[in-house]
């Protein structure tokens, strides 16, 4: 009973945090567009609007497609009419994850009620509905995180380096807070997806609070290293960044496609892998296929090589648009700080990953009935 309450609180916190950070991301996009509109940077306003529109349009189409097809990601239970109206509005306004999080909270409270009453059948049903709903919304949230929040964060760091914004000014501190919020938002999105993916596996135990915290730090530090390297290299050359990320995406898609080639090749699965490859450009997330530890070794080796290449190019060929009087870039602390922060973030994330797999990775086989019965009061 006590364990069930702790898991309920953990799920409630993750869903609420995901919803809040998602809304804050949209507010930040609006703030960024408004700020650059006032500065007459209309091209930046157009890019910001495009970064908000594209993932919103894709997720709305996916949400409608899953609902029409009745795929495993789509949830069709009996919901109050207000929930259906809210879902239609969220699709129309290109913000499908919001209705998904609201539905997930609804089933989460239904699960908690069944737990308190000791009703195993109702508990199992509400659990399955909540996990199915979370699988849908976490996939949609991943698209927003890696098609909107990640590029926005790269742009924030890029403009922070290019423009005359001092770190000790009020505007500079605001930019740092915005960037930190974006990092937390992306990390929460990836963590909730991984946790939901493992919950949906019959041979995995429910991920506890300590494992979830470690997984969050894994994503936070590795994403920090990856996005820092991309952002710093973007300040050097936008064209080459697009080329390197395109090559990385092709490698990730080919790698993810290998297990699929051994089975039946479906067009829908190919599209899903191509979309998943975008996420793998920035972070490693759970997926079906070969053993996860071998995937970790391959992925983080590729990421380290790519990050190091970008950092070396930036370190050698970077310039100071705000300090043209500096004759030698080696005299500035910003290069050493950027290089040090990247490797500290990367290897700190690897340490958390090792700790996660050594002690807290859920690996005990347990059926759904067994896991649910553990939550029932004696």
């Amino acid at each position: 009973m006590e364990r069930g309450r702790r898991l309920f609180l953990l799920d409630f916190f993750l869903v609420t945090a995901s919803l809040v950070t998602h809304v804050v991301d949209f507010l930040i996009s609006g703030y960024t567009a408004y700020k650059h509109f006032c500065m007459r940077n209309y091209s930046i306003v157009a890019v910001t609007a495009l970064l908000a529109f594209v993932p919103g349009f894709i997720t709305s189409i996916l949400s409608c497609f899953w609902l029409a097809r009745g795929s495993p990601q789509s949830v069709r239970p009996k919901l109050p009419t207000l929930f259906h109206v809210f879902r239609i509005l969220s699709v129309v306004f290109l913000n499908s994850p919001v209705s998904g999080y609201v539905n997930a909270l609804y089933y989460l409270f239904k699960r908690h009620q069944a737990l308190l009453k000791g009703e195993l059948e109702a508990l199992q049903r509400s659990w399955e509905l909540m996990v199915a709903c979370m699988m849908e919304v976490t996939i949609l949230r991943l698209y927003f995180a890696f098609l909107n929040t990640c590029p926005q964060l790269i742009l924030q760091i890029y403009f922070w380096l290019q423009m005359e914004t001092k770190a000790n000014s009020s505007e500079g501190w605001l930019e740092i807070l915005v960037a930190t919020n974006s990092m937390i938002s992306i990390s929460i999105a990836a963590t909730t997806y991984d946790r939901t993916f493992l919950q949906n596996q019959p041979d995995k135990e429910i991920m506890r609070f300590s494992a979830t915290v470690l997984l969050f730090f894994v994503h936070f530090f590795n994403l920090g290293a990856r996005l820092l390297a991309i952002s710093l290299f973007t300040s050097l050359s936008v064209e080459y960044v697009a080329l390197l990320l395109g090559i990385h995406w092709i490698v990730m898609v080919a790698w993810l496609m290998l297990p699929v080639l051994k089975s039946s090749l479906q067009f829908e699965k190919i599209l899903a892998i191509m979309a998943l490859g975008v996420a793998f450009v920035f972070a490693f997330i759970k997926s079906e296929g070969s053993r996860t530890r071998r995937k970790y070794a391959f992925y983080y080796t590729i990421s380290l090589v790519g990050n190091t290449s970008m950092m070396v190019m930036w370190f050698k060929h970077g310039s100071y648009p705000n300090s043209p009087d500096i004759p030698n870039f080696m005299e500035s602390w910003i290069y050493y700080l950027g290089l040090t922060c990247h490797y500290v973030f990367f290897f700190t994330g690897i340490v958390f990953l090792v700790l996660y797999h050594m002690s807290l990775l859920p690996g005990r086989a347990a059926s759904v009935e067994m896991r649910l019965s553990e939550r029932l009061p004696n």
Side-chain angles (χ1 to χ4, degrees):
M1 183 69 173
E2 184 63 29
R3 182 189 176 197
R5 288 178 177 175
R6 290 198 301 267
L7 289 173
F8 164 78
L9 292 175
L10 176 58
D11 289 335
F12 176 77
F13 171 77
L14 287 175
V15 174
T16 305
S18 300
L19 176 59
V20 171
T21 53
H22 178 69
V23 174
V24 171
D25 285 343
F26 261 89
L27 295 178
I28 289 175
S29 296
Y31 162 75
T32 303
Y34 174 77
K35 183 180 72 172
H36 288 285
F37 180 82
C38 295
M39 297 170 61
R40 299 181 182 275
N41 294 329
Y42 300 119
S43 59
I44 305 303
V45 175
V47 171
T48 303
L50 185 64
L51 290 176
F53 172 79
V54 171
F57 180 77
I58 292 175
T59 53
S60 293
I61 294 297
L62 280 175
S63 182
C64 295
F65 176 75
W66 287 338
L67 191 62
R69 281 283 301 270
S71 66
Q73 283 83 11
S74 179
V75 182
R76 287 189 176 185
K78 293 182 178 179
L79 282 169
T81 305
L82 182 62
F83 284 77
H84 295 292
V85 174
F86 188 70
R87 177 166 186 168
I88 293 173
L89 291 175
S90 66
V91 170
V92 170
F93 288 99
L94 306 180
N95 211 341
S96 297
V98 174
S99 65
Y101 285 126
V102 172
N103 293 344
L105 287 173
Y106 175 80
Y107 292 120
L108 182 61
F109 282 105
K110 285 290 186 181
R111 191 188 88 186
H112 187 58
Q113 289 178 0
L115 170 65
L116 295 178
K117 295 178 181 179
E119 300 174 351
L120 179 59
E121 184 177 352
L123 180 61
Q124 181 173 345
R125 177 60 178 164
S126 59
W127 170 266
E128 292 172 352
L129 289 173
M130 191 205 72
V131 172
C133 187
M134 284 299 294
M135 280 301 299
E136 175 185 342
V137 71
T138 51
I139 292 174
L140 298 179
R141 183 72 175 88
L142 276 182
Y143 286 116
F144 266 99
F146 294 111
L147 291 177
N148 175 266
T149 311
C150 276
Q152 287 280 9
L153 178 57
I154 293 172
L155 284 177
Q156 290 163 11
I157 300 177
Y158 173 77
F159 288 122
W160 190 77
L161 292 172
Q162 293 292 325
M163 297 181 179
E164 297 182 359
T165 303
K166 298 185 180 297
N168 57 355
S169 66
S170 58
E171 185 178 356
W173 281 112
L174 180 60
E175 295 292 339
I176 293 174
L177 290 175
V178 168
T180 304
N181 173 80
S182 298
M183 277 294 305
I184 294 174
S185 175
I186 302 168
S187 302
I188 289 177
T191 302
T192 52
Y193 174 83
D194 285 346
R195 188 171 187 272
T196 305
F197 180 85
L198 291 175
Q199 284 180 339
N200 207 32
Q201 305 299 310
D203 60 336
K204 298 294 184 181
E205 191 186 34
I206 306 260
M207 187 182 293
R208 295 178 175 84
F209 174 78
S210 53
T212 305
V213 171
L214 279 178
L215 189 58
F216 170 81
F217 282 119
V218 169
H219 287 303
F220 182 84
F221 285 105
N222 283 317
L223 275 167
R226 180 67 176 164
L227 293 174
L228 180 62
I230 294 174
S231 302
L232 294 178
F233 191 66
T234 301
S235 67
L236 179 63
S237 173
V238 177
E239 294 80 7
Y240 282 114
V241 164
L243 177 62
L244 288 177
L245 294 184
I247 294 174
H248 195 130
W249 176 77
I250 293 174
V251 172
M252 292 295 103
V253 170
W255 175 50
L256 294 172
M257 198 77 73
L258 290 178
V260 180
L261 294 176
K262 300 177 183 179
S263 59
S264 59
L265 199 61
Q266 300 177 356
F267 180 71
E268 183 179 346
K269 188 173 290 186
I270 294 176
L271 290 179
I273 290 176
M274 293 176 66
L276 198 62
V278 177
F280 272 82
V281 169
F282 300 100
F284 182 93
I285 58 177
K286 303 292 183 183
S287 63
E288 299 177 357
S290 59
R291 297 180 61 181
T292 304
R293 296 183 185 183
R294 293 179 181 177
K295 286 186 175 182
Y296 277 136
F298 174 79
Y299 178 82
Y300 285 111
T301 300
I302 294 295
S303 294
L304 182 60
V305 172
N307 291 356
T308 300
S309 301
M310 289 187 285
M311 294 299 296
V312 169
M313 292 293 292
W314 173 74
F315 193 83
K316 286 187 175 182
H317 303 288
S319 61
Y320 295 93
N322 300 327
S323 304
D325 55 325
I326 298 180
N328 186 355
F329 69 86
M330 299 291 285
E331 297 178 9
S332 177
W333 55 269
I334 190 172
Y335 284 89
Y336 296 104
L337 179 63
L339 199 64
T340 302
C341 286
H342 166 262
Y343 287 106
V344 168
F345 270 56
F346 183 86
F347 288 109
T348 302
I350 296 298
V351 170
F352 277 112
L353 181 64
V354 172
L355 292 174
Y356 171 73
H357 275 273
M358 283 181 60
S359 58
L360 296 171
L361 179 66
R364 179 175 64 85
S367 64
V368 175
E369 292 78 8
M370 184 185 302
R371 291 187 292 174
L372 291 172
S373 63
E374 291 177 355
R375 294 172 173 74
L376 291 175
N378 297 325

